[in-house]
Amino acid sequence: MTGVLGKWWFLSLLICSMLLLSPTVTSYPAESDKGRKKVVHVLEDEFGAVIVQTAPGKVVTHRGGTITLPCRFHHEPENVDPSRIRIKWTKVSDEFQFQDVFVALGRQQRVFGPYRGRVELERAGPGDASVIIHNVTLQDYGRYECEVTNDMEDDTGFVNLDLEGVVFPYYPRLGRYRLNYHEAEEACKHQDAILASHSQLHKAWKDGLDWCNAGWLEDGSVQYPVAHPRDQCGRKDTPGVRNYGYRHKEDERYDAFCFTSKLNGQVYFLKRFKKVNYTEAVKACVREGAVMAKVGQLYAAWKFQLLDRCDAGWVEDGSVRYPIVNPRARCGGPDPGVRNLGFPEKKFRLYGVYCFRKDLVNSETEATQALVQSSSVFTTSTQSI
Ligand SMILES: *[C@@H]1O[C@H](CO)[C@@H](O)[C@H](O)[C@H]1NC(C)=O
Ligand SMILES: *[C@@H]1O[C@H](CO)[C@@H](O)[C@H](O)[C@H]1NC(C)=O
């Protein structure tokens, strides 16, 4: 009896000390800590226990960044053969959608799919199940599960990977409300972006995004953010994110809300070619060793490069836009934003052009070369998902 009590006492103490020693996280906003502490669950019987501890809240980075997904574990009895400890990371898109990321069993490791060559174990000492993701992509955004298993027991913890970025509404030359879900997904991809999540749209709304046309989100819902309520945009008295709910992905057509993050390059207005038609604009960028900027790239440059330019310019999809950080009267109104003049005829020689040039050096992936790839040991464990 005292043995069992003693063990529980020891575990509580351990959990407390682990909370104090929780791993370094690049940043998570203080206000999000509250109420987000992971509930540690302990499984224990005569075979021993595994306890997993993830950091509270979320970790934040940007596209191209390197980030640690923190996860620690402790097991009892402590003399368990380390080669029998399995660490598994899974991305959890929703209740029914899982994606394998990483598995380690003893010294053997395997990295899956788009994470190959980018994910490694942190190895900051015994009990560290954290992984490091290099060259973070837009698709990495989301919720991850860390699962640690010894012969008999397992425990899991969760970490949310958040990206700094920008949400923008998008519709194609065809016009408003022309995209079904799959086309919206493609449209965002063509603009160097992905469909935004609900929480990304919500954050953008809090930061002032106001758009009175409904657009697809990544979860298949259709919503739009209203910062300045008005008659034609839902209820006229309350600001908020209006929600049409989950819509038919093939048959129904709306605009899209896209999300993008930091660029591995620069967007700039081409000064030497002030007025060009669309064909000349394409050539002008190429002559510079660049390409025309995509809509997502222009938004990213506005957000991260603070690109501010009161000159309308062609972008790659055939629309004409310009980015304003410091609003002024003759540059499209009182709010910062990327102005959109729509899709003029491509022959018009009335606008300049925004080009995008990739950075020549990018050192993000150095540390990922030496990763061990596959091992037959994991075949069964990954099939069981
Ligand atoms: C743009 O102008 C060039 C001549 O400089 C012409 O060859 C081209 O067809 C024009 N493009 C369009 C889309 O009208
Ligand atoms: C980082 O990832 C992006 C997108 O997957 C890729 O285009 C780029 O080449 C990668 N960078 C490096 C340095 O590998």
Side-chain angles (χ1 to χ4, degrees):
M1 196 62 207
T2 46
V4 172
L5 280 176
K7 213 168 188 182
W8 276 109
W9 181 83
F10 170 73
L11 286 174
S12 320
L13 190 72
L14 184 82
I15 291 162
C16 292
S17 57
M18 285 169 94
L19 284 173
L20 291 174
L21 294 173
S22 66
T24 358
V25 174
T26 325
S27 79
Y28 45 87
E31 82 266 4
S32 71
D33 283 6
K34 226 187 219 158
R36 275 172 166 271
K37 291 252 189 294
K38 179 189 176 294
V39 179
V40 177
H41 83 266
V42 179
L43 293 170
E44 190 185 20
D45 59 23
E46 66 262 40
F47 298 109
V50 178
I51 307 159
V52 167
Q53 176 69 53
T54 45
K58 59 185 178 184
V59 293
V60 183
T61 182
H62 50 76
R63 174 165 57 183
T66 295
I67 190 79
T68 300
L69 304 183
C71 179
R72 293 178 162 252
F73 68 93
H74 179 83
H75 51 82
E76 288 219 330
E78 290 196 38
N79 58 5
V80 168
D81 178 1
S83 70
R84 309 215 53 95
I85 299 271
R86 191 184 74 144
I87 295 168
K88 175 160 190 172
W89 282 89
T90 309
K91 190 173 182 208
V92 187
S93 303
D94 65 45
E95 228 179 309
F96 309 105
Q97 252 190 308
F98 300 89
Q99 183 184 7
D100 292 342
V101 174
F102 175 88
V103 176
L105 181 64
R107 298 172 60 88
Q108 292 177 300
Q109 302 184 4
R110 181 163 181 191
V111 188
F112 297 90
Y115 295 93
R116 238 171 244 152
R118 297 195 294 125
V119 173
E120 62 179 329
L121 212 48
E122 184 179 56
R123 298 180 192 284
D128 188 8
S130 310
V131 284
I132 303 173
I133 306 183
H134 298 271
N135 195 9
V136 167
T137 66
L138 296 176
Q139 289 77 12
D140 292 348
Y141 170 88
R143 185 170 169 82
Y144 290 81
E145 180 190 73
C146 168
E147 182 192 58
V148 182
T149 316
N150 67 16
D151 284 341
M152 303 305 295
E153 300 292 344
D154 64 83
D155 191 23
T156 55
F158 290 91
V159 182
N160 288 314
L161 170 55
D162 200 3
L163 294 179
E164 291 165 6
V166 56
V167 170
F168 61 95
Y170 188 78
Y171 63 92
R173 180 180 282 278
L174 280 172
R176 288 276 161 84
Y177 288 176
R178 294 304 182 94
L179 305 170
N180 71 19
Y181 176 84
H182 308 287
E183 291 160 348
E185 210 173 16
E186 278 301 301
C188 290
K189 208 160 126 199
H190 281 135
Q191 301 315 319
D192 190 41
I194 55 173
L195 278 176
S197 71
H198 171 74
S199 74
Q200 287 165 341
L201 183 68
H202 195 264
K203 183 168 182 299
W205 165 74
K206 281 206 293 193
D207 293 345
L209 184 65
D210 185 283
W211 191 251
C212 201
N213 287 82
W216 289 103
L217 296 183
E218 163 270 329
D219 63 1
S221 68
V222 170
Q223 313 194 19
Y224 63 99
V226 175
H228 315 293
R230 49 205 185 273
D231 271 347
Q232 63 274 31
C233 306
R235 281 149 298 172
K236 66 171 177 216
D237 45 343
T238 36
V241 178
R242 314 277 192 248
N243 193 343
Y244 289 3
Y246 299 99
R247 313 306 304 185
H248 196 289
K249 286 185 173 177
E250 272 78 33
D251 295 351
E252 296 195 39
R253 290 172 187 276
Y254 300 96
D255 295 345
F257 285 102
C258 308
F259 173 84
T260 193
S261 181
K262 212 164 164 175
L263 294 168
N264 61 340
Q266 295 278 320
V267 171
Y268 57 98
F269 183 77
L270 201 49
K271 286 182 200 152
R272 278 183 296 128
F273 297 86
K274 275 287 210 182
K275 306 278 191 231
V276 286
N277 69 24
Y278 181 83
T279 328
E280 293 162 339
V282 175
K283 287 183 184 154
C285 289
V286 170
R287 223 173 288 142
E288 290 261 310
V291 292
M292 265 173 126
K294 297 173 179 236
V295 177
Q297 291 169 332
L298 189 58
Y299 271 92
W302 168 72
K303 170 93 178 183
F304 292 99
Q305 244 174 265
L306 302 181
L307 186 67
D308 183 294
R309 186 88 210 181
C310 198
D311 290 293
W314 294 103
V315 291
E316 190 259 4
D317 68 342
S319 61
V320 167
R321 304 177 190 240
Y322 60 99
I324 296 296
V325 174
N326 305 305
R328 44 226 191 258
R330 56 180 191 88
C331 303
D335 298 315
V338 175
R339 314 289 186 234
N340 182 2
L341 275 54
F343 295 87
E345 281 192 52
K346 287 186 171 174
K347 66 180 182 208
F348 287 171
R349 202 178 269 129
L350 297 172
Y351 315 105
V353 56
Y354 287 93
C355 305
F356 170 74
R357 190 189 283 119
K358 253 188 148 153
D359 287 339
L360 292 177
V361 275
N362 184 339
S363 58
E364 294 281 2
T365 53
E366 285 162 8
T368 59
Q369 307 299 332
L371 294 183
V372 186
Q373 293 284 308
S374 79
S375 150
S376 57
V377 175
F378 299 118
T379 318
T380 45
S381 66
T382 56
Q383 279 170 348
S384 66
I385 290 185

